[in-house]
């Protein structure tokens, strides 16, 4: 079906064509994006608090592994601050 493929290619070309329409963006929207960006940036950087929580979580995990306790290992996962860098990389 050659005609179907040509139609699909034309639709793809239409998707990738540049638009000459401009969208108005308010100062409040720009400020909101900056605040979100700064929150993600702050959460993904190494700091004293991040390193302290990581050390404490590592100690708790080591105690859990040493005592063969799944509950303590899960508790160390709850203490660990790993979501900040993950969200920062995804953003």
């Amino acid at each position: 079906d050659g005609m179907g493929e040509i139609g699909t290619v034309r639709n793809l070309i239409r998707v990738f064509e540049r638009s000459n329409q401009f969208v108005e963006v308010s100062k409040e929207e720009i400020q909101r994006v900056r605040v979100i960006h700064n929150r993600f940036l702050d959460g993904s950087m190494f700091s004293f608090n991040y390193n302290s929580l990581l050390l404490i979580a590592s100690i708790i995990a080591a105690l859990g592994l040493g005592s063969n306790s799944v509950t303590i290992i899960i508790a160390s996962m709850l203490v660990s601050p790993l979501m900040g860098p993950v969200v920062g990389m995804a953003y």
Side-chain angles (χ1 to χ4, degrees), residues 57-70:
S58 300
I59 292 170
I60 293 172
L63 291 173
L65 287 172
S67 65
N68 198 18
S69 173
V70 175

Side-chain angles (χ1 to χ4, degrees), residues 2-59:
M3 294 307 278
E5 291 175 6
I6 292 173
T8 304
V9 171
R10 285 185 184 155
N11 288 337
L12 283 174
I13 291 172
R14 245 185 250 137
V15 168
F16 291 112
E17 285 179 349
R18 289 187 177 204
S19 175
N20 291 329
Q21 298 175 352
F22 292 100
V23 178
E24 288 187 31
V25 179
S26 67
K27 290 182 180 180
E28 291 83 19
E29 290 172 332
I30 293 172
Q31 186 63 28
R32 221 176 298 139
V33 169
R34 285 184 181 159
V35 167
I36 292 170
H37 175 76
N38 288 335
R39 282 185 188 166
F40 286 141
L41 186 64
D42 290 341
S44 65
M45 300 190 100
F46 287 106
S47 65
F48 177 76
N49 291 339
Y50 177 84
N51 288 330
S52 300
L53 281 174
L54 196 58
L55 179 66
I56 292 169
S58 300
I59 292 170

